Amino acid sequence: MENNEALKFNKIGTELMNENKYEKALEYFLKSISIDPENPVYYHNAGVCLMIEEEKERAISLFKEAIKKNIEIDESTYYLSKLLYETKNFEELINLRINIKNSSYLYEISVNKAKSLITYGRVDEALKIINQLKMNGFATQELDLLYNMIKK
């Protein structure tokens, strides 16, 4: 059963976030977590606030926690992968398990994984990702550029 007080704080946090009051919203999401630490949505919401406020390392830890608690929001994995790439945590990004349905998120995560693999000189693995994306119907200049970089 959901905790009504935690839900109330989450609702207030969401309203504050919609008003671009991220620091204050974060306070309410953290209150929700302290009351109901098993609800992954609260971690996701707090992570979004921190990501917007450019507190990337703290956001990463909250998105990881949301995923560990089996959140069913594809955005959590997408945001985590984006932050891992931006903070140059390439190895962690490469090893990130992806189980999402949103194809645009899947594309972005896969491209960042391929770029990370290229950074480590693991071009054969990057090429597999690029070819898989192309087989799945993605045809972008970015994929062509990555492919051509590898093949030269």
Side-chain angles (χ1 to χ4, degrees):
M1 185 168 129
E2 299 264 354
N3 183 301
N4 286 336
E5 190 175 12
L7 284 172
K8 180 181 81 173
F9 286 140
N10 184 65
K11 184 176 186 231
I12 293 168
T14 302
E15 290 168 0
L16 289 165
M17 199 163 62
N18 290 336
E19 296 170 8
N20 300 328
K21 297 177 181 174
Y22 303 110
E23 283 184 48
K24 197 71 176 160
L26 177 62
E27 290 176 30
Y28 282 93
F29 295 135
L30 293 177
K31 285 180 185 181
S32 294
I33 291 169
S34 69
I35 295 167
D36 184 5
E38 295 308 310
N39 190 323
V41 173
Y42 306 149
Y43 294 90
H44 171 86
N45 290 345
V48 170
C49 288
L50 289 167
M51 181 179 68
I52 291 168
E53 292 290 310
E54 295 290 320
E55 291 189 49
K56 294 177 182 182
E57 294 299 330
R58 285 180 67 200
I60 286 170
S61 68
L62 287 165
F63 288 126
K64 284 181 184 177
E65 193 63 30
I67 292 166
K68 189 167 96 177
K69 295 186 181 302
N70 296 317
I71 195 163
E72 294 183 18
I73 300 174
D74 289 351
E75 272 182 355
S76 290
T77 303
Y78 169 69
Y79 290 153
L80 174 60
S81 70
K82 182 179 183 319
L83 291 169
L84 290 173
Y85 186 77
E86 289 175 4
T87 57
K88 298 184 181 354
N89 287 312
F90 300 131
E91 194 66 41
E92 198 170 344
L93 174 56
I94 290 166
N95 293 318
L96 182 65
R97 291 190 59 226
I98 304 171
N99 185 22
I100 61 175
K101 296 161 189 68
N102 184 304
S103 63
S104 63
Y105 291 159
L106 182 60
Y107 170 83
E108 293 291 331
I109 294 168
S110 298
V111 166
N112 283 339
K113 275 190 171 202
K115 290 177 185 177
S116 298
L117 287 162
I118 291 168
T119 300
Y120 285 125
R122 295 164 59 182
V123 293
D124 290 341
E125 293 171 78
L127 196 55
K128 283 181 187 175
I129 290 173
I130 293 165
N131 286 332
Q132 184 65 51
L133 286 169
K134 287 184 174 195
M135 285 190 321
N136 288 340
F138 293 102
T140 66
Q141 288 180 331
E142 184 176 32
L143 284 180
D144 292 340
L145 177 65
L146 289 172
Y147 183 84
N148 290 332
M149 282 174 46
I150 291 171
K151 285 304 193 178
K152 287 190 176 186

